[in-house]
Amino acid sequence: MADPITVEDPDDPRLADYTGLTDVELRRRREPAEGLFIAEGEKVIRRARDAGYEMRSMLLSAKWVDVMRDVIDELPAPVYAVSPELAERVTGYHVHRGALASMRRKPLPTAADLLRTARRVAVMESVNDHTNIGAIFRSAAALGMDAVLLSPDCADPLYRRSVKVSMGAVFSVPYARLDTWPGDLKTVSEAGFTLLALTPDERAASLDEAAPHRMDRVALMLGAEGAGLSARALTAADAWVRIPMSHGVDSLNVGAAAAVAFYAVATGRPRP
């Protein structure tokens, strides 16, 4: 691989993948359409590479060139070296970690493909906050969930913020989108999964009572922050489960709740 290319013009078309990274609506439309996503920071870039994502290019500030030299040398992708000031003008924010990479997306598997071999699955409905998506994927990876299924209106796990918050865990847990909601939950049930809806409703059984770790195949359903699972999703579930609360607290952030529930689902399960 040739040495990094120094770029001094923020309008250079070679930097097009990195323009307007703070424009959420633009990036949400553009990135899936163009088949790319942005990895930020050395660890995340390396994890994306190790997960088999192909690199389109890298954008580095000068001090990160030596740090990323092994990656630069082994991958046939252009590397653009820019000043921190120019990086900020291109991306729209101060790039604290000094390293960005544009990666090619892979085709998503189908839900049916994932369900054939999975035993512990997270199912998200309308979780459209990228920070929550990233946090949930990180917990799913750490606590032994096999796959994640997303309703059609969930946020993009490969959006920069999701990837960053997950510390690259979005590359470790396979995921698929359900085409219709909640109709495709029937596919999950037919694959032999017990659908457990996580809700603060007092009518729900506590996770201890439900003992999901003893069930053969479990799909844990999580709803959006605040609203929770819809009435239609709750109706489709086989059972409702809850995390017992104390001191007058009625519920947890969905990211925190997911971590607690994933642990309960996977407790006693052999780790890979």
Side-chain angles (χ1 to χ4, degrees):
M1 178 66 200
D3 287 334
I5 302 162
T6 300
V7 178
E8 298 178 345
D9 179 3
D11 296 320
D12 191 310
R14 292 174 294 183
L15 305 185
D17 283 1
Y18 306 96
T19 56
L21 293 185
T22 57
D23 189 332
V24 178
E25 288 305 315
L26 172 65
R27 300 302 300 198
R28 284 175 62 184
R29 294 192 305 271
R30 180 186 169 194
E31 291 184 10
E34 296 183 18
L36 67 91
F37 69 91
I38 299 297
E40 180 178 0
E42 177 194 1
K43 290 182 179 179
V44 172
I45 292 171
R46 292 182 183 277
R47 287 172 182 170
R49 176 202 60 179
D50 293 345
Y53 287 93
E54 181 184 352
M55 189 176 293
R56 291 162 59 109
S57 68
M58 274 200 292
L59 181 71
L60 304 176
S61 58
K63 70 177 183 179
W64 284 93
V65 171
D66 287 341
V67 175
M68 302 298 294
R69 174 55 65 180
D70 60 314
V71 178
I72 294 170
D73 289 344
E74 72 177 38
L75 296 174
V79 178
Y80 304 115
V82 299
S83 67
E85 293 77 18
L86 188 135
E88 184 169 352
R89 291 177 65 185
V90 172
T91 63
Y93 73 105
H94 180 65
V95 184
H96 298 282
R97 303 188 183 194
L100 296 169
S102 174
M103 315 294 293
R104 296 189 192 280
R105 291 175 182 248
K106 300 177 185 179
L108 285 182
T110 65
D113 288 338
L114 296 185
L115 294 171
R116 288 191 187 98
T117 56
R119 289 187 55 234
R120 298 290 185 264
V121 175
V123 183
M124 292 192 233
E125 180 190 30
S126 304
V127 180
N128 49 33
D129 180 273
H130 294 104
T131 297
N132 285 334
I133 287 280
I136 292 169
F137 266 87
R138 188 171 185 180
S139 294
L143 298 170
M145 302 299 284
D146 298 317
V148 174
L149 301 180
L150 306 169
S151 70
D153 55 350
C154 278
D156 180 11
L158 293 183
Y159 181 72
R160 179 178 59 89
R161 180 66 179 166
S162 301
V163 173
K164 182 178 178 180
V165 170
S166 80
M167 288 299 295
V170 293
F171 311 136
S172 303
V173 184
Y175 70 93
R177 285 199 181 268
L178 300 172
D179 294 327
T180 60
W181 185 267
D184 279 351
L185 289 175
K186 184 178 180 181
T187 301
V188 184
S189 293
E190 290 175 346
F193 286 80
T194 300
L195 288 167
L196 299 182
L198 188 64
T199 171
D201 194 298
E202 292 184 357
R203 293 171 293 175
S206 72
L207 281 166
D208 284 343
E209 294 168 340
H213 62 288
R214 296 177 183 167
M215 298 176 182
D216 183 45
R217 305 183 104 184
V218 177
L220 182 70
M221 299 162 58
L222 304 163
E225 188 75 25
L229 289 166
S230 67
R232 293 191 302 163
L234 290 168
T235 299
D238 295 307
W240 297 2
V241 294
R242 62 181 174 85
I243 301 168
M245 298 283 123
S246 301
H247 300 293
V249 178
D250 60 356
S251 64
L252 297 173
N253 165 275
V254 66
V260 173
F262 292 164
Y263 181 78
V265 165
T267 298
R269 181 187 177 197
R271 288 289 189 268

